[in-house]
Amino acid sequence: QAQLVESGGGSVQSGGSLRLSCVASGYSSSWSCMGWFRQVPGKEREGVALIDSDGNTDYTDSAKGRFTISQDNAKNTLWLHMNSLKPEDTAMYYCAADPFRGGAWCHVYQYGLDSWGKGTLVTISA
């Protein structure tokens, strides 16, 4: 069974940076689609950035120019580099991955990824 473990969350001031990491296990090949989602209590989960096995990326508008998603397929590791953080970026950030579906299916409005982590909390103070 696949397991995703996030790390790197924390508390920083507005304008600061964080790097989130996600290590995926339980699947012997490269994941077709991996991504980061976030959720604030009382609000719907939001896709932040996704990447497919070919390196094609998709970002939500608020993340463009500030966040960068990257992966190491050999190590089944996913990162989210977040710069110029704002208080509205405060949320629980979740890593998600799908072993088979990628390409055009892999985008920020795709909530049907197969496996999900438990999340890492990001708090941005003004």
Side-chain angles (χ1 to χ4, degrees), residues 55-71:
N56 300 306
T57 59
D58 190 36
Y59 294 90
T60 190
D61 285 345
S62 64
K64 292 177 181 177
R66 300 189 300 128
F67 295 2
T68 302
I69 189 170
S70 59
Q71 64 184 355

Side-chain angles (χ1 to χ4, degrees), residues 1-5 23-28 31 96-99 114-117:
Q1 186 173 356
Q3 184 177 19
L4 305 179
V5 180
V23 178
S25 61
Y27 184 60
S28 59
W31 296 84
D98 197 281
D114 182 71
S115 301
W116 292 78

Side-chain angles (χ1 to χ4, degrees), residues 31-34 50-57 71 73 102-104 106:
W31 296 84
S32 292
C33 178
M34 300 186 77
L50 275 78
I51 186 168
D52 69 12
S53 57
D54 291 328
N56 300 306
T57 59
Q71 64 184 355
N73 288 333
C106 187

Side-chain angles (χ1 to χ4, degrees), residues 52-123:
D52 69 12
S53 57
D54 291 328
N56 300 306
T57 59
D58 190 36
Y59 294 90
T60 190
D61 285 345
S62 64
K64 292 177 181 177
R66 300 189 300 128
F67 295 2
T68 302
I69 189 170
S70 59
Q71 64 184 355
D72 182 332
N73 288 333
K75 297 182 180 180
N76 281 340
T77 302
L78 182 73
W79 296 278
L80 183 68
H81 297 257
M82 304 187 293
N83 297 319
S84 302
L85 285 162
K86 304 175 182 180
E88 50 263 43
D89 294 317
T90 295
M92 185 69 80
Y93 283 71
Y94 298 91
C95 174
D98 197 281
F100 305 119
R101 295 171 289 188
W105 184 89
C106 187
H107 57 80
V108 293
Y109 298 105
Q110 181 56 260
Y111 300 102
L113 280 73
D114 182 71
S115 301
W116 292 78
K118 295 183 178 180
T120 185
L121 183 62
V122 172
T123 303

Side-chain angles (χ1 to χ4, degrees), residues 6-21:
E6 304 98 334
S7 61
S11 298
V12 298
Q13 290 187 329
S14 180
S17 300
L18 284 173
R19 187 185 75 164
L20 306 184
S21 300

